Amino acid sequence: MHTRTLSAKPATYRAWIALTALCAALVVSLGLAPSASAAPAWPVLANGTTGANVTTAQYLLRGHGYDISVDSDFGPATENTVIAFQQSRGYAVDGIIGAETWPGLIVTVRQGDSGDAVAAAQTALNKHGYGLAVDGQFGPATASAATAFQSAKGLAVDGIIGPQTWQTLLGTGGGDDGGGCRVPAEPDPEVLRVVYLTGVGLGVSDKVMLAGFEAGVVESNMNNLDCGDRDSLGVFQQRPSQGWGTPEQIMNVSYASNSFFTRAITVAANNPNLTAGQVAQAVQISAYPDRYDAVETTARQLIDRARELAG
């Protein structure tokens, strides 16, 4: 367990910020600077958040030398790394990536650069549909995507991903405007019960039942989320744009569970050597396939709990 300590900024620093803001306002009001639409707010990421912005932040933390897994899940390890980063910069230490932490975390990248900061930029561009290989190499394809994004958003078109482009990338688009989706710390008992009963009603094998619960744990901690990465929804984070159904259907836990289990039954029957986690991956097609088997113990415990809830 750690204790969060909030560090206050020196009075001289606060005064300087206030003076800077006043001068900027005067410059605009006097017509000395071109007017522009306000930049989107920096997203706020905290423990429990998931999505592309979390992946981006994790790559950026790696770029600053922190040994952290990139899994799109803002858990305790990411929170502790953010705290260490904030302490190193003299920021308020709260473990939350917000308006103060983002500007210090981002790194300006351009064609010819390589490394985790470039992978972060590629991830952020992909949130807007550019389909780049996240290889950490800022080549012509990444430069083209950067200029296309800047042109679409009315930014200076230079192909360089600097502070304004970063803020616009992170603060808009892809169904991730708020930085992702806050996942409750505890599973929803009703979701556990309905997923379990749906599987029982379909006569699923133990392996397929485990696959369903592993997917539910990874994707939502067994909660019926009304948000997620891009257009993902529900306990399994199924996407209407990928043919899983309408948003209303996907938010029906029974419907979503039936959709998952029906596919999983076929996968397991055709591939008897797959583990439950591999069955889940074949259904979900996740960018992080190893996460499902990694939660087997938790999933089994929740199946036992669901069985009790179902009576």
Side-chain angles (χ1 to χ4, degrees):
M1 178 180 292
H2 61 265
T3 301
R4 296 177 178 175
T5 57
L6 301 179
S7 59
K9 294 294 185 185
T12 53
Y13 178 84
R14 295 196 301 270
W16 180 83
I17 289 293
L19 180 60
T20 301
L22 177 60
C23 289
L26 286 172
V27 166
V28 172
S29 67
L30 292 173
L32 300 177
S35 60
S37 58
W42 289 104
V44 177
L45 310 183
N47 197 332
T49 310
T50 62
N53 282 347
V54 176
T55 307
T56 299
Q58 289 170 331
Y59 272 124
L60 288 169
L61 286 164
R62 288 182 62 87
H64 285 282
Y66 294 93
D67 185 11
I68 183 174
S69 297
V70 177
D71 60 6
S72 81
D73 187 356
F74 198 127
T78 299
E79 181 180 31
N80 290 335
T81 304
V82 172
I83 287 171
F85 175 77
Q86 291 171 330
Q87 289 172 334
S88 74
R89 295 299 181 100
Y91 298 155
V93 179
D94 57 9
I96 297 170
I97 303 176
E100 181 182 39
T101 301
W102 276 117
L105 192 58
I106 59 170
V107 176
T108 296
V109 290
R110 66 196 75 205
Q111 190 162 357
D113 289 343
S114 62
D116 286 313
V118 174
Q122 291 167 330
T123 300
L125 285 162
N126 283 348
K127 189 183 78 168
H128 295 270
Y130 288 96
L132 298 168
V134 182
D135 58 7
Q137 302 294 322
F138 201 128
T142 302
S144 177
T147 55
F149 176 79
Q150 290 169 333
S151 178
K153 297 297 183 180
L155 304 173
V157 180
D158 57 10
I160 299 171
I161 301 180
Q164 188 175 20
T165 300
W166 269 118
Q167 187 169 355
T168 307
L169 278 168
L170 293 163
T172 61
D176 207 6
D177 295 2
C181 187
R182 186 65 66 88
V183 180
E186 295 295 326
D188 184 332
E190 181 62 13
V191 170
L192 294 176
R193 190 184 71 84
V194 172
V195 173
Y196 177 78
L197 287 176
T198 302
V200 169
L202 291 170
V204 302
S205 66
D206 290 344
K207 180 191 290 186
V208 171
M209 182 70 80
L210 179 58
F213 273 75
E214 287 180 352
V217 169
V218 167
E219 302 296 348
S220 69
N221 197 27
M222 296 302 287
N223 286 275
N224 196 29
L225 304 178
D226 62 357
C227 54
D229 181 35
R230 305 183 198 184
D231 59 337
S232 300
L233 294 168
V235 61
F236 300 106
Q237 290 291 278
Q238 296 158 338
R239 296 177 59 192
S241 63
Q242 300 301 309
W244 284 95
T246 66
E248 292 76 17
Q249 288 172 324
I250 292 171
M251 288 300 295
N252 181 306
V253 178
S254 179
Y255 177 94
S257 301
N258 187 82
S259 296
F260 177 92
F261 283 131
T262 299
R263 289 165 172 79
I265 289 168
T266 301
V267 170
N270 293 337
N271 303 275
N273 294 326
L274 293 184
T275 66
Q278 289 168 336
V279 171
Q281 167 62 15
V283 175
Q284 298 291 99
I285 314 178
S286 167
Y288 309 99
D290 297 332
R291 290 192 297 168
Y292 301 114
D293 275 324
V295 299
E296 178 179 347
T297 299
T298 299
R300 288 189 181 278
Q301 292 170 346
L302 292 179
I303 290 172
D304 290 341
R305 183 177 169 190
R307 187 180 295 113
E308 293 175 359
L309 291 167

